[in-house]
Amino acid sequence: MAAYLFILPAVLLVATFEYAPTLSAFYYSFTEYHLLIPEKWIGFDNYKELYQDSVFWKALRNSLMYFLIIVPLLISLPLLLALLVNLKMRGIYLFRVLYYLPVITSMVAIAIVFKYLYHPVGLINAFLDLFGLKQYELNWLLDSRTALPSVALLEVWKAMGLYMIIYLSALQSLSQELVEAAKIDGAKKLRILWHIYLPHLRPIFAVTLTLASLASIQIFTSVYVMTGGGPQNETLSLPMQIYNEAFIRLNMGYASAMGIVLFALMMVLTMINFKISRGGRGV
């Protein structure tokens, strides 16, 4: 009994703040519930309404676009950073700290700063003007062509430090004798990277792929602060639309149905990543 008593606080915490809300959302997704009035069982009507809701499909499409932009960048760019900060040189610890700082900085603060950077008279357009690229100056967050990629790049920049640390920990666990033996055999840097570093990092790719996939589907704060989902819902993510339905329109039942769809989408991505990682270990 002693072991069960020790884990009881953690079990109660998870059950109260994870499983109970999830089960409640599943129940409310089959009801008409507007927060201020008792819920009314309506079966699958919320899901039928989702099927005909163009804004929901737009938000779902945008979430998938975030996924397609963010995931490849968060798998590749932090690896390059990790390879750089893994070098043995003076001041390398300072670079590690600088690259990791955005991870522990408030997303709200970062989003406000980037909102000014993306402004038509902000630093990005000033930089383009400095090099004679005035024709490429844009209103980044109000142009439907650039708004979503601009938000996605902010998410990548903020999260890179975390994935860099994950890769760096794996790189530092690699036997240096193996690398030295490859160099003695005449292997060049690219061949060492391809045949030693990347196979060693294969299990880590499974971790970063799963984390990046789930993070890209759950984008909310940056969208809320920078664009509010605009222009014309071009940056609207599925979590942002769930927030609008639940806390702006107080339509909790309909928002719960969207939440279940988001939950199912995340489960599918997790299972796909799990299959990929298992296949990678079997090679």
Side-chain angles (χ1 to χ4, degrees):
M1 286 298 297
Y4 288 106
L5 289 175
F6 274 115
I7 67 172
L8 181 61
V11 171
L12 290 176
L13 187 68
V14 173
T16 303
F17 294 102
E18 295 288 343
Y19 293 114
T22 301
L23 294 175
S24 297
F26 185 75
Y27 166 74
Y28 286 125
S29 70
F30 295 100
T31 66
E32 183 180 353
Y33 180 35
H34 294 282
L35 192 63
L36 300 178
I37 58 176
E39 67 273 11
K40 175 185 175 183
W41 183 268
I42 58 174
F44 288 93
D45 287 357
N46 284 328
Y47 294 96
K48 293 177 182 177
E49 186 177 350
L50 281 180
Y51 183 74
Q52 300 173 349
D53 188 350
S54 60
V55 178
F56 164 75
W57 288 106
K58 182 77 171 182
L60 182 61
R61 170 192 168 275
N62 290 342
S63 292
L64 294 176
M65 289 298 298
Y66 284 123
F67 171 83
L68 293 175
I69 296 173
I70 292 173
V71 172
L73 293 178
L74 277 185
I75 292 175
S76 56
L77 294 181
L79 175 58
L80 298 178
L81 285 179
L83 290 171
L84 288 175
V85 299
N86 194 39
L87 298 174
K88 294 180 180 179
M89 56 182 291
R90 179 174 295 181
I92 198 64
Y93 294 103
L94 175 62
F95 284 99
R96 293 176 186 175
V97 171
L98 291 176
Y99 289 140
Y100 189 75
L101 274 178
V103 178
I104 60 176
T105 305
S106 167
M107 172 57 89
V108 175
I110 290 177
I112 291 173
V113 171
F114 268 77
K115 189 174 182 179
Y116 283 102
L117 291 177
Y118 284 133
H119 195 274
V121 292
L123 191 60
I124 294 178
N125 281 341
F127 180 80
L128 295 175
D129 192 22
L130 184 64
F131 288 91
L133 301 173
K134 192 174 182 63
Q135 67 273 23
Y136 295 105
E137 294 181 2
L138 297 168
N139 195 338
W140 298 92
L141 296 178
L142 291 179
D143 191 318
S144 59
R145 298 169 299 174
T146 59
L148 189 146
S150 298
V151 176
L153 290 177
L154 161 64
E155 292 282 343
V156 171
W157 180 82
K158 186 183 188 306
M160 275 200 302
L162 173 62
Y163 295 86
M164 177 199 72
I165 291 296
I166 295 174
Y167 283 128
L168 182 62
S169 62
L171 289 174
Q172 293 188 342
S173 68
L174 177 65
S175 173
Q176 290 303 309
E177 288 79 6
L178 186 61
V179 177
E180 294 298 329
K183 290 180 179 179
I184 292 173
D185 288 339
K188 302 298 183 182
K189 291 182 178 180
L190 286 178
R191 188 170 292 274
I192 293 174
L193 174 65
W194 186 259
H195 291 286
I196 297 179
Y197 283 112
L198 293 184
H200 177 73
L201 292 172
R202 184 178 296 163
I204 307 302
F205 285 130
V207 174
T208 55
L209 178 60
T210 301
L211 292 177
S213 299
L214 298 182
S216 65
I217 294 296
Q218 298 182 80
I219 287 178
F220 172 77
T221 306
S222 56
V223 175
Y224 180 82
V225 174
M226 296 176 70
T227 65
Q232 299 179 343
N233 296 328
E234 287 297 329
T235 60
L236 183 67
S237 63
L238 193 51
M240 183 71 196
Q241 181 59 9
I242 293 172
Y243 171 84
N244 290 337
E245 289 292 338
F247 299 105
I248 303 299
R249 303 181 183 93
L250 301 182
N251 193 353
M252 292 292 180
Y254 192 52
S256 296
M258 288 188 185
I260 295 302
V261 172
L262 178 61
F263 173 77
L265 180 60
M266 293 171 62
M267 288 297 295
V268 169
L269 290 175
T270 302
M271 288 188 290
I272 291 174
N273 293 337
F274 179 70
K275 290 289 185 181
I276 293 174
S277 63
R278 286 190 62 187
R281 286 196 298 269
V283 174

